[in-house]
Amino acid sequence: MEIRIGASWPAALQDPSESRTFKPRSSGLTMVIDKGLGPQAFADMLATSAPFIDFVKIGFGTSPLYPIPLLQEKINSARQADIAVFPGGTLLEAAVRLNVEGKFFETVLDLGFDGVEVSDGTIELSRKKRDQLIREATQLGLRVFTEYGKKATGSRVVLDDLRRTAETDLQCGAELVTVEARESGLGVGLFDESGGCREDELRSLVNKLPFAKNLMWEAPRKNQQVDLLMILGSDANLGNIPPHEAIPLETLRRGLRSDTFALHRSISDYVI
């Protein structure tokens, strides 16, 4: 069969939701978590999925375990694809606990990371210290993504606490506030022990938070992504997405998967 030059899919099939925008985006952001991809796997991810990924987080404290040249290669190749890269917040928590946060920031800059994640999912961080870390990072020219919530199983989202935390983080210079769900999505934050979304809780949160567009929801599981997109819309910011799930998530955003067909905007009724 002859391959026709210039072949393309109908525009309506490329994005039935009529909602997706090109990078740099201000909404509908996708953050992928890298827990140890090798150079070929990382390159494959970029080759197939780069247009659909806005951030790559080098998960938890894995960054110091890579050979420096390999880590820099990952950062540089992602940046060439217009993807920002930052180390997981657990690494900064470890730096605070060990009193080496100054050296942490220095190394982050030397390696070429775009930003940092400020969190207190494992340690206790005073509001004063959290403010200091956010301001120091922004003054160094780093993008700051903060995280709300604890990693312990059973931790829940508390509306007033989230509101206060997010408002202050954003005032200090944070770009996005991520709602914790860990990489498992089980029994933490919005999700119950089986990974199900507490939908009523989610609706209550977004209805009462004036800055919901500045929130990113960790949602590593497909059912969680579906629930969030159907409630919040295609432009919900979603994080902790496994690398191999970047394209499947994009099909959910666009209504190119049965689970989110209702996101189609052009047609209200389907006749077969």
Side-chain angles (χ1 to χ4, degrees):
M1 179 182 294
E2 182 181 355
I3 299 176
R4 294 177 58 189
I5 297 174
S8 63
W9 294 105
L13 279 180
Q14 294 178 40
D15 182 15
S17 74
E18 300 178 3
S19 67
R20 299 301 282 151
T21 57
F22 296 104
K23 295 192 291 186
R25 287 180 279 265
S26 59
S27 62
L29 303 168
T30 293
M31 179 265 281
V32 163
I33 183 170
D34 175 357
K35 300 189 291 184
L37 293 178
Q40 283 73 41
F42 195 84
D44 286 345
M45 177 187 72
L46 296 182
T48 59
S49 309
F52 317 124
I53 300 172
D54 302 280
F55 310 111
V56 169
K57 176 166 68 175
I58 307 297
F60 22 98
T62 58
S63 294
L65 304 185
Y66 290 99
I68 292 295
L70 174 55
L71 184 57
Q72 289 181 309
E73 178 185 339
K74 282 189 169 190
I75 295 169
N76 291 336
S77 59
R79 294 182 75 175
Q80 289 171 11
D82 295 321
I83 297 171
V85 188
F86 58 95
T90 303
L91 188 59
L92 178 52
E93 292 184 43
V96 171
R97 185 179 186 186
L98 298 169
N99 197 31
V100 293
E101 59 262 39
K103 181 61 177 175
F104 166 85
F105 284 126
E106 180 183 328
T107 305
V108 163
L109 290 166
D110 288 344
L111 289 171
F113 279 108
D114 298 274
V116 294
E117 184 176 64
V118 176
S119 64
D120 56 0
T122 304
I123 66 172
E124 293 300 324
L125 202 62
S126 69
R127 183 68 254 184
K128 180 179 180 181
K129 184 66 173 180
R130 188 178 177 99
D131 293 352
Q132 176 191 327
L133 292 170
I134 296 170
R135 290 192 174 110
E136 182 175 355
T138 56
Q139 288 168 2
L140 290 169
L142 293 165
R143 300 171 70 177
V144 177
F145 311 97
T146 63
E147 191 171 71
Y148 167 83
K150 294 295 184 182
K151 296 185 181 296
T153 300
S155 299
R156 299 285 291 269
V157 177
V158 179
L159 174 60
D160 289 341
D161 188 35
L162 172 57
R163 181 191 292 115
R164 286 193 300 268
T165 300
E167 282 179 345
T168 307
D169 287 354
L170 295 169
Q171 289 170 0
C172 287
E175 186 173 326
L176 286 170
V177 179
T178 302
V179 180
E180 175 71 74
R182 306 203 69 177
E183 75 278 6
S184 69
L186 298 174
V188 175
L190 279 178
F191 308 119
D192 61 26
E193 288 69 20
S194 63
C197 180
R198 300 184 177 98
E199 295 184 17
D200 290 342
E201 192 170 309
L202 172 61
R203 288 189 174 91
S204 177
L205 286 172
V206 297
N207 287 335
K208 296 176 181 177
L209 293 173
F211 43 79
K213 64 183 178 60
N214 296 109
L215 296 179
M216 174 171 282
W217 308 87
E218 291 186 346
R221 295 170 175 260
K222 175 196 167 188
N223 67 291
Q224 298 166 353
Q225 297 159 18
V226 170
D227 288 342
L228 285 160
L229 292 172
M230 295 306 294
I231 293 171
L232 304 178
S234 296
D235 59 354
N237 303 318
L238 302 181
N240 273 15
I241 307 302
H244 63 281
E245 292 292 333
I247 285 183
L249 170 57
E250 190 65 25
T251 64
L252 290 174
R253 290 189 184 278
R254 297 180 183 220
L256 289 169
R257 202 165 176 180
S258 176
D259 310 82
T260 55
F261 246 51
L263 293 176
H264 289 200
R265 292 190 179 178
S266 297
I267 303 173
S268 57
D269 297 306
Y270 297 88
V271 178
I272 304 300

